[in-house]
PDB file of all heavy atoms in Angstrom:
ATOM      1  N   GLU R  91       9.527  44.659   9.994  1.00  0.00           N
ATOM      2  CA  GLU R  91      10.832  45.253   9.716  1.00  0.00           C
ATOM      3  C   GLU R  91      11.836  44.747  10.741  1.00  0.00           C
ATOM      4  O   GLU R  91      11.578  44.719  11.940  1.00  0.00           O
ATOM      5  CB  GLU R  91      10.726  46.775   9.783  1.00  0.00           C
ATOM      6  CG  GLU R  91      11.991  47.486   9.398  1.00  0.00           C
ATOM      7  CD  GLU R  91      11.828  48.997   9.392  1.00  0.00           C
ATOM      8  OE1 GLU R  91      10.697  49.494   9.477  1.00  0.00           O
ATOM      9  OE2 GLU R  91      12.852  49.688   9.320  1.00  0.00           O
ATOM     10  N   SER R  92      12.983  44.342  10.259  1.00  0.00           N
ATOM     11  CA  SER R  92      14.069  43.878  11.114  1.00  0.00           C
ATOM     12  C   SER R  92      15.224  44.866  10.995  1.00  0.00           C
ATOM     13  O   SER R  92      15.108  45.862  10.299  1.00  0.00           O
ATOM     14  CB  SER R  92      14.489  42.478  10.673  1.00  0.00           C
ATOM     15  OG  SER R  92      15.460  41.958  11.548  1.00  0.00           O
ATOM     16  N   GLN R  93      16.302  44.572  11.648  1.00  0.00           N
ATOM     17  CA  GLN R  93      17.450  45.487  11.654  1.00  0.00           C
ATOM     18  C   GLN R  93      18.070  45.573  10.257  1.00  0.00           C
ATOM     19  O   GLN R  93      18.378  44.559   9.654  1.00  0.00           O
ATOM     20  CB  GLN R  93      18.504  45.022  12.645  1.00  0.00           C
ATOM     21  CG  GLN R  93      19.677  45.960  12.769  1.00  0.00           C
ATOM     22  CD  GLN R  93      20.615  45.529  13.883  1.00  0.00           C
ATOM     23  OE1 GLN R  93      20.336  44.606  14.621  1.00  0.00           O
ATOM     24  NE2 GLN R  93      21.732  46.209  13.996  1.00  0.00           N
ATOM     25  N   GLY R  94      18.246  46.778   9.778  1.00  0.00           N
ATOM     26  CA  GLY R  94      18.873  47.014   8.487  1.00  0.00           C
ATOM     27  C   GLY R  94      20.313  47.450   8.674  1.00  0.00           C
ATOM     28  O   GLY R  94      20.922  47.212   9.717  1.00  0.00           O
ATOM     29  N   ASP R  95      20.844  48.138   7.690  1.00  0.00           N
ATOM     30  CA  ASP R  95      22.230  48.570   7.740  1.00  0.00           C
ATOM     31  C   ASP R  95      22.357  49.836   6.906  1.00  0.00           C
ATOM     32  O   ASP R  95      21.518  50.130   6.068  1.00  0.00           O
ATOM     33  CB  ASP R  95      23.123  47.471   7.182  1.00  0.00           C
ATOM     34  CG  ASP R  95      24.591  47.648   7.581  1.00  0.00           C
ATOM     35  OD1 ASP R  95      24.894  48.565   8.359  1.00  0.00           O
ATOM     36  OD2 ASP R  95      25.412  46.853   7.100  1.00  0.00           O
ATOM     37  N   ALA R  96      23.411  50.583   7.146  1.00  0.00           N
ATOM     38  CA  ALA R  96      23.677  51.791   6.375  1.00  0.00           C
ATOM     39  C   ALA R  96      25.172  51.974   6.229  1.00  0.00           C
ATOM     40  O   ALA R  96      25.956  51.546   7.090  1.00  0.00           O
ATOM     41  CB  ALA R  96      23.066  53.003   7.072  1.00  0.00           C
ATOM     42  N   GLY R  97      25.550  52.590   5.146  1.00  0.00           N
ATOM     43  CA  GLY R  97      26.967  52.880   4.938  1.00  0.00           C
ATOM     44  C   GLY R  97      27.206  53.388   3.536  1.00  0.00           C
ATOM     45  O   GLY R  97      26.519  53.010   2.593  1.00  0.00           O
ATOM     46  N   ARG R 101      21.373  52.675   2.245  1.00  0.00           N
ATOM     47  CA  ARG R 101      20.622  52.215   3.407  1.00  0.00           C
ATOM     48  C   ARG R 101      19.816  50.995   3.015  1.00  0.00           C
ATOM     49  O   ARG R 101      19.212  50.961   1.940  1.00  0.00           O
ATOM     50  CB  ARG R 101      19.688  53.320   3.894  1.00  0.00           C
ATOM     51  CG  ARG R 101      18.932  52.943   5.117  1.00  0.00           C
ATOM     52  CD  ARG R 101      18.110  54.087   5.618  1.00  0.00           C
ATOM     53  NE  ARG R 101      17.265  53.606   6.699  1.00  0.00           N
ATOM     54  CZ  ARG R 101      16.406  54.325   7.340  1.00  0.00           C
ATOM     55  NH1 ARG R 101      16.251  55.584   7.021  1.00  0.00           N
ATOM     56  NH2 ARG R 101      15.691  53.812   8.293  1.00  0.00           N
ATOM     57  N   SER R 102      19.801  49.988   3.860  1.00  0.00           N
ATOM     58  CA  SER R 102      19.013  48.797   3.573  1.00  0.00           C
ATOM     59  C   SER R 102      18.107  48.500   4.754  1.00  0.00           C
ATOM     60  O   SER R 102      18.396  48.852   5.885  1.00  0.00           O
ATOM     61  CB  SER R 102      19.910  47.587   3.293  1.00  0.00           C
ATOM     62  OG  SER R 102      20.571  47.188   4.470  1.00  0.00           O
ATOM     63  N   THR R 103      17.000  47.861   4.467  1.00  0.00           N
ATOM     64  CA  THR R 103      16.061  47.429   5.493  1.00  0.00           C
ATOM     65  C   THR R 103      15.736  45.969   5.214  1.00  0.00           C
ATOM     66  O   THR R 103      15.508  45.581   4.077  1.00  0.00           O
ATOM     67  CB  THR R 103      14.773  48.261   5.462  1.00  0.00           C
ATOM     68  OG1 THR R 103      15.115  49.629   5.612  1.00  0.00           O
ATOM     69  CG2 THR R 103      13.833  47.865   6.576  1.00  0.00           C
ATOM     70  N   VAL R 104      15.709  45.180   6.260  1.00  0.00           N
ATOM     71  CA  VAL R 104      15.384  43.765   6.140  1.00  0.00           C
ATOM     72  C   VAL R 104      13.947  43.565   6.614  1.00  0.00           C
ATOM     73  O   VAL R 104      13.565  44.066   7.666  1.00  0.00           O
ATOM     74  CB  VAL R 104      16.348  42.905   6.987  1.00  0.00           C
ATOM     75  CG1 VAL R 104      15.939  41.440   6.958  1.00  0.00           C
ATOM     76  CG2 VAL R 104      17.770  43.093   6.507  1.00  0.00           C
ATOM     77  N   TYR R 105      13.154  42.840   5.825  1.00  0.00           N
ATOM     78  CA  TYR R 105      11.791  42.503   6.216  1.00  0.00           C
ATOM     79  C   TYR R 105      11.698  40.987   6.388  1.00  0.00           C
ATOM     80  O   TYR R 105      12.200  40.220   5.565  1.00  0.00           O
ATOM     81  CB  TYR R 105      10.777  42.972   5.157  1.00  0.00           C
ATOM     82  CG  TYR R 105      10.698  44.465   5.099  1.00  0.00           C
ATOM     83  CD1 TYR R 105      11.485  45.188   4.213  1.00  0.00           C
ATOM     84  CD2 TYR R 105       9.860  45.171   5.954  1.00  0.00           C
ATOM     85  CE1 TYR R 105      11.418  46.567   4.167  1.00  0.00           C
ATOM     86  CE2 TYR R 105       9.791  46.553   5.917  1.00  0.00           C
ATOM     87  CZ  TYR R 105      10.582  47.243   5.022  1.00  0.00           C
ATOM     88  OH  TYR R 105      10.520  48.611   4.997  1.00  0.00           O
ATOM     89  N   TYR R 143      24.584  45.894  -1.706  1.00  0.00           N
ATOM     90  CA  TYR R 143      23.988  47.129  -2.195  1.00  0.00           C
ATOM     91  C   TYR R 143      23.945  47.082  -3.673  1.00  0.00           C
ATOM     92  O   TYR R 143      24.317  47.284  -4.553  1.00  0.00           O
ATOM     93  CB  TYR R 143      24.769  48.343  -1.698  1.00  0.00           C
ATOM     94  CG  TYR R 143      24.615  48.552  -0.225  1.00  0.00           C
ATOM     95  CD1 TYR R 143      25.669  48.364   0.641  1.00  0.00           C
ATOM     96  CD2 TYR R 143      23.405  48.933   0.311  1.00  0.00           C
ATOM     97  CE1 TYR R 143      25.522  48.558   2.009  1.00  0.00           C
ATOM     98  CE2 TYR R 143      23.252  49.145   1.675  1.00  0.00           C
ATOM     99  CZ  TYR R 143      24.305  48.954   2.514  1.00  0.00           C
ATOM    100  OH  TYR R 143      24.161  49.150   3.851  1.00  0.00           O
TER     101      TYR R 143
END
Side-chain angles (χ1 to χ4, degrees):
E91 185 177 348
S92 185
Q93 184 174 354
D95 197 5
R101 182 176 173 182
S102 69
T103 303
V104 175
Y105 292 92
Y143 291 112

